[in-house]
Amino acid sequence: MALLPTGVTVVTVADELDDIGSTVSAFASISADPPIVMLSVIRTSYLREVIDLRGAFAVNVLGEGHRAIAGRFAAEGRPSARLLLAAEPHHRGERTGALILGSALAALECSVTQRVEAGDHVVYLAAVDSLPEVAGVRANPSPLIRHDGRYRALR
């Protein structure tokens, strides 16, 4: 599956204690009408725990200029999402309170409608509640992808 190119996102959740975030490439559109997306996260992750608790999350679609951000949010033992985005323009989503990267290609605020355990992951189907405004697609429209274990630009 590493040979299948996928888009790269950072998923964030506002927790009572802190802001949680992780790099996720298992994200897809499921339905346009109504807008529904699919997110898959590792069952043992703290991100999964917080999504289960909150029932909502934000997705930041990364562009080719976001390799460092993708790496930061994928690192073991990473600090809070708020600290990882401290030097980046960002704001909180109106619906979820989760962090939205201002330079993302796109951002979505989502609420979980279904949860399915699948092997070592949990798959969420989620309604898209809001599309927060971000500037990334105007500034840098090329997406960041993951292929063969590396981040790459789509050219």
Side-chain angles (χ1 to χ4, degrees), residues 89-153:
H90 65 279
H91 61 280
R92 292 197 178 275
E94 291 181 15
R95 299 274 179 115
T96 63
L99 297 175
I100 305 294
L101 177 63
S103 61
L105 294 185
L108 304 89
E109 289 188 281
C110 306
S111 56
V112 174
T113 59
Q114 273 187 282
R115 178 190 187 279
V116 178
E117 292 198 22
D120 61 357
H121 278 63
V122 172
V123 176
Y124 297 98
L125 295 181
V128 177
D129 298 324
S130 171
L131 299 171
E133 188 169 327
V134 290
V137 77
R138 291 184 297 275
N140 184 7
S142 184
L144 182 63
I145 63 169
R146 186 154 177 88
H147 177 258
D148 200 17
R150 300 180 122 168
Y151 297 123
R152 302 172 189 273

Side-chain angles (χ1 to χ4, degrees), residues 2-14:
L3 296 177
L4 177 65
T6 60
V8 181
T9 68
V10 165
V11 175
T12 58
V13 183

Side-chain angles (χ1 to χ4, degrees), residues 53-100:
L53 180 66
R54 298 316 236 182
F57 55 88
V59 178
N60 297 275
V61 178
L62 301 185
E64 67 178 326
H66 293 126
R67 288 177 197 222
I69 291 173
R72 279 184 260 170
F73 277 89
E76 291 289 324
R78 63 190 165 272
S80 120
R82 187 176 20 81
L83 293 175
L84 291 174
L85 290 179
E88 303 289 334
H90 65 279
H91 61 280
R92 292 197 178 275
E94 291 181 15
R95 299 274 179 115
T96 63
L99 297 175
I100 305 294

